[in-house]
Amino acid sequence: MSEPTANVTPNGGPIVRIRNLKKSFGSLEVLRDVDMDVQKGEVVVILGPSGSGKSTMLRCVNRLEEPTGGEIWLEDIKVNDPKTNINEVRERIGMVFQQFNLFPHLTAKGNVMLAQRKVLKRSKHEAERIALEQLERVGLGDRVDYFPAQLSGGQQQRVAIARALAMDPHVMLFDEVTSALDPELVRGVLDVMKGLAKAGMTMLVVTHEMGFARDVASRAVFMDGGVIVEEGTPSEVFDHPRHERTKDFLGHIA
């Protein structure tokens, strides 16, 4: 089974650098001067109430949302430079959404092969080999020829993860990937994500799964009102929060 591609930054600095990131939708200011560094191999879990800006920040990293101000760097590329080829950026970033976004007319294997063929221009043989590897990796080696309608929600989400991994991403972004799943299906997806973390994949994860955050995160970031209120190790944020807003949020979800 192939391991994730190593993250390489020319100066040995952060894989992702976010500086003074701003995002507004009309008069609504969703992100206000957010700063964040993500180091190679880190699993950064982003927590916060709905509307706090956490998913918007994630979507700005691969420019699914256009930042209003500030800078985002992925390794040596300034993501929000108008001259940047965003497709080159997205080749380095894997993103998995709350909705699976699988093609219903393609099998699990076909879904994992498609972007490899179209974007990376891999041969059919190579794309198929990698698709089978990654489906095995997420526990779906026996479902490669199943169509999405024949798979549970959790299995479909694992196909989406395999599809992202097949592109050899330097960073994986996960946006509330378990929130649309029935509770009994969540564990399988989280187990796959834990395996990726152990293998050294750099990950930015927006989630309400506090157990996952405690067990897997290198760093927990709590956002509210478009700013980072508090960050630290999971122990620091969960067990010894410094800010009243963090304490209030954790008190409501405990």
Side-chain angles (χ1 to χ4, degrees), residues 164-176:
L165 290 172
M167 304 297 285
D168 295 328
H170 298 201
V171 182
M172 286 283 286
L173 310 178
F174 293 90
D175 188 13
E176 298 279 17

Side-chain angles (χ1 to χ4, degrees), residues 140-159:
L140 293 175
D142 60 344
R143 296 288 190 274
V144 299
D145 293 321
Y146 283 50
F147 289 91
Q150 297 172 298
L151 299 171
S152 71
Q155 289 169 334
Q156 290 184 60
Q157 192 60 286
R158 283 187 274 156
V159 172

Side-chain angles (χ1 to χ4, degrees), residues 170-241:
H170 298 201
V171 182
M172 286 283 286
L173 310 178
F174 293 90
D175 188 13
E176 298 279 17
V177 296
T178 59
S179 61
L181 301 179
D182 291 333
E184 66 267 24
L185 302 177
V186 168
R187 182 175 175 179
V189 174
L190 293 180
D191 284 346
V192 168
M193 293 169 67
K194 288 177 184 178
L196 295 179
K198 285 180 183 173
M201 176 62 75
T202 307
M203 297 160 62
L204 261 167
V205 184
V206 171
T207 187
H208 290 294
E209 297 291 339
M210 297 300 130
F212 173 84
R214 277 183 174 275
D215 293 345
V216 180
S218 322
R219 183 156 42 106
V221 174
F222 174 67
M223 293 184 68
D224 190 36
V227 300
I228 293 176
V229 175
E230 184 162 359
E231 63 181 303
T233 66
S235 176
E236 288 168 342
V237 172
F238 286 106
D239 301 328
H240 308 287

Side-chain angles (χ1 to χ4, degrees), residues 64-79:
L64 287 173
E65 296 289 356
E66 197 70 44
T68 308
E71 296 183 352
I72 300 173
W73 290 81
L74 174 68
E75 300 169 323
D76 56 337
I77 300 175
K78 185 178 177 183
V79 174

Side-chain angles (χ1 to χ4, degrees), residues 23 28-32 34 46-58 176 206-208 221-229 245 249:
K23 176 62 183 177
L28 179 63
E29 200 174 24
V30 178
L31 295 172
R32 299 184 284 142
V34 172
I46 304 161
L47 314 167
S50 297
S52 59
K54 53 194 190 298
S55 290
T56 300
M57 182 182 71
L58 214 62
E176 298 279 17
V206 171
T207 187
H208 290 294
V221 174
F222 174 67
M223 293 184 68
D224 190 36
V227 300
I228 293 176
V229 175
R245 183 65 188 94
F249 175 78

